[in-house]
């Protein structure tokens, strides 16, 4: 067999690779302060990654805010854009009176068409 015997090894139990020659990517630890419980949550991110302004508190699952030094980051809570419904977009193109006229025309057409169909055909 090979130089190294695999007898007695558990599947997935140990890696046969060593960490020799492996260069780990640089990392940074960011601290988040929970506004509800007041506890700090530390998260490790890659040094290249931009840390999010908020993170879930690991103690009570509420929103924790990023701290830079000993100060909490000020969040810009711009109002979320309210999604427009189909009705809103329709009202941007036509007036309510025009819509009522179109509805009446369509209903008249459908009623006339229904009357022209043969019963039992």
């Amino acid at each position: 067999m090979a130089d190294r015997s695999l007898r007695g090894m558990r599947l997935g139990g140990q890696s046969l690779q060593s960490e020799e020659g492996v260069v780990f990517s640089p990392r940074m630890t960011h601290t988040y302060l929970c506004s509800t419980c007041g506890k700090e949550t530390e998260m490790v991110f890659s040094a290249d990654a931009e840390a999010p302004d908020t993170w879930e508190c690991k103690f009570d699952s509420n929103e924790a805010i990023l701290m830079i030094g000993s100060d909490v980051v000020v969040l810009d809570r711009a109002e979320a854009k309210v999604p427009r419904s189909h009705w809103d977009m329709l009202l941007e193109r036509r007036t309510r009176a025009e819509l009522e006229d179109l509805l009446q025309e369509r209903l008249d057409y459908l009623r006339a068409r229904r009357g022209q169909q043969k019963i039992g055909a």
Side-chain angles (χ1 to χ4, degrees):
M1 216 170 161
D3 297 329
R4 201 179 324 180
S5 175
L6 297 178
R7 188 181 335 152
M9 291 290 294
R10 295 177 302 237
L11 286 176
Q14 292 175 316
S15 172
L16 298 177
Q17 295 180 343
S18 67
E19 295 181 3
E20 184 178 323
V22 175
V23 178
F24 294 103
S25 63
R27 309 207 182 259
M28 289 187 65
T29 302
H30 295 282
T31 306
Y32 292 85
L33 178 65
C34 180
S35 57
T36 308
C37 68
K39 295 183 180 179
E40 293 181 355
T41 301
E42 289 190 350
M43 297 302 301
V44 179
F45 294 99
S46 171
D48 298 339
E50 183 177 332
D53 291 337
T54 60
W55 196 262
E56 182 179 313
C57 176
K58 65 181 178 183
F59 300 102
D60 63 2
S61 300
N62 287 318
E63 186 178 68
I65 301 172
L66 178 65
M67 294 178 64
I68 296 180
S70 61
D71 298 327
V72 177
V73 170
V74 177
L75 297 177
D76 180 23
R77 301 261 185 200
E79 289 187 28
K81 186 176 180 182
V82 179
R84 296 183 308 168
S85 67
H86 293 288
W87 179 249
D88 294 333
M89 290 185 269
L90 191 60
L91 287 177
E92 289 176 3
R93 295 190 308 266
R94 300 189 188 270
T95 65
R96 197 172 189 104
E98 289 174 328
L99 292 172
E100 288 176 6
D101 290 341
L102 288 172
L103 176 63
Q104 192 58 48
E105 285 176 22
R106 189 66 185 166
L107 287 174
D108 291 341
Y109 169 76
L110 290 174
R111 287 179 185 139
R113 199 175 107 194
R114 188 179 341 149
Q116 292 175 357
Q117 290 179 347
K118 295 180 182 177
I119 299 175

